[in-house]
Amino acid sequence: MTGPKPRRGLCLVLAAPSGAGKTSISRALLAAEPDLHLSISVTTRAPRAGEQDGVHYFFRTRPAFDAMIEAGELLEWADVFGQRYGTPRAPVAAALARGEDVLFDIDWQGHRQLRAALPGDVVGVFIMPPRREDLVARLRARGDDRDEIARRMAEAEAEIAHAGEFDYCVVNEVLADAVATVRAILQAARAATARQLWLAP
Ligand code: 5GP
């Protein structure tokens, strides 16, 4: 047999406590993996400096967000830091059917719901900072104020408590190494026999 083999796409979920370097890892992954597409979430939180609607998030009011829940347009959603975040359903279903892979930057609640909604399609990776102090340092460098840092540290502890629900745990000591490990996980997941539509069941 020659040529590319038909394969079902997969959902690569990256979750992490704030400040673990998840955004850097997902940026590097997207740059290195042309066949991996980022799922753009909907959120009720205000845009940060430099964030654009439709690029980083779809920024929506609370009533507009809740209307999407009502209409069944979200694959999963959760309250995080007092704001709502959710994953639009249609782009994910279309990508998986086309055999494309989707990257999700969501929290543990989203990961849990996604696994339930798409059994067999989800590969969960939890990114850990090597040391607790690194979390605070990275949050400071990002310019969050003191209250925000304290709140996010508490949320970080809560997020870490769910690390065991993920398939893999990658410690982000050196960014390039962490990216290489996540890419290796992605390559292996793509090769799983269950995703090869051309193989006899
Ligand atoms: P931030 O406000 O810093 O962009 O994101 C805060 C947290 O919300 C992060 O942990 C991020 O992964 C999570 N998050 C972003 N989008 C979604 C989503 O669509 N669903 C869920 N469950 N969490 C999300």
Side-chain angles (χ1 to χ4, degrees):
M1 279 188 280
T2 56
K5 305 284 190 288
R7 171 175 74 76
R8 183 162 169 83
L10 60 85
C11 298
L12 181 66
V13 176
L14 288 191
S18 279
K22 180 171 64 166
T23 307
S24 308
I25 292 176
S26 78
R27 270 200 208 117
L29 262 182
L30 290 166
E33 298 282 347
D35 295 330
L36 185 64
H37 308 282
L38 181 67
S39 164
I40 301 173
S41 297
V42 188
T43 183
T44 59
R45 84 148 162 78
R48 294 200 187 105
E51 285 184 337
Q52 284 171 265
D53 186 48
V55 177
H56 300 91
Y57 280 105
F58 296 105
F59 296 98
R60 293 292 181 267
T61 60
R62 178 64 187 263
F65 190 102
D66 290 350
M68 292 183 80
I69 299 176
E70 277 297 304
E73 290 172 17
L74 299 180
L75 198 49
E76 62 78 30
W77 67 271
D79 284 310
V80 187
F81 309 132
Q83 299 289 344
R84 290 205 158 163
Y85 295 79
T87 301
R89 183 189 298 275
V92 178
L96 293 184
R98 283 197 302 265
E100 294 169 5
D101 303 320
V102 186
L103 179 66
F104 297 79
D105 177 341
I106 60 179
D107 78 333
W108 68 269
Q109 305 173 81
H111 170 252
R112 199 184 256 186
Q113 293 175 59
L114 212 60
R115 286 194 99 90
L118 299 168
D121 288 336
V122 176
V123 179
V125 179
F126 196 87
I127 310 293
M128 279 286 263
R131 284 162 297 274
R132 194 140 297 183
E133 312 86 75
D134 295 356
L135 283 178
V136 186
R138 286 183 193 171
L139 286 175
R140 284 217 178 94
R142 213 166 65 180
D144 291 338
D145 66 32
R146 266 181 60 191
D147 284 356
E148 181 78 4
I149 291 172
R151 210 156 53 92
R152 289 201 171 224
M153 278 306 289
E155 294 282 351
E157 301 291 349
E159 188 79 24
I160 289 170
H162 292 277
E165 296 173 18
F166 289 74
D167 299 303
Y168 300 95
C169 179
V170 174
V171 178
N172 184 17
E173 176 85 60
V174 175
L175 178 63
D177 294 346
V179 171
T181 303
V182 178
R183 289 187 73 191
I185 290 167
L186 176 62
Q187 298 311 329
R190 282 172 168 164
T193 47
R195 295 203 171 85
Q196 313 309 313
L197 299 175
W198 54 282
L199 278 181

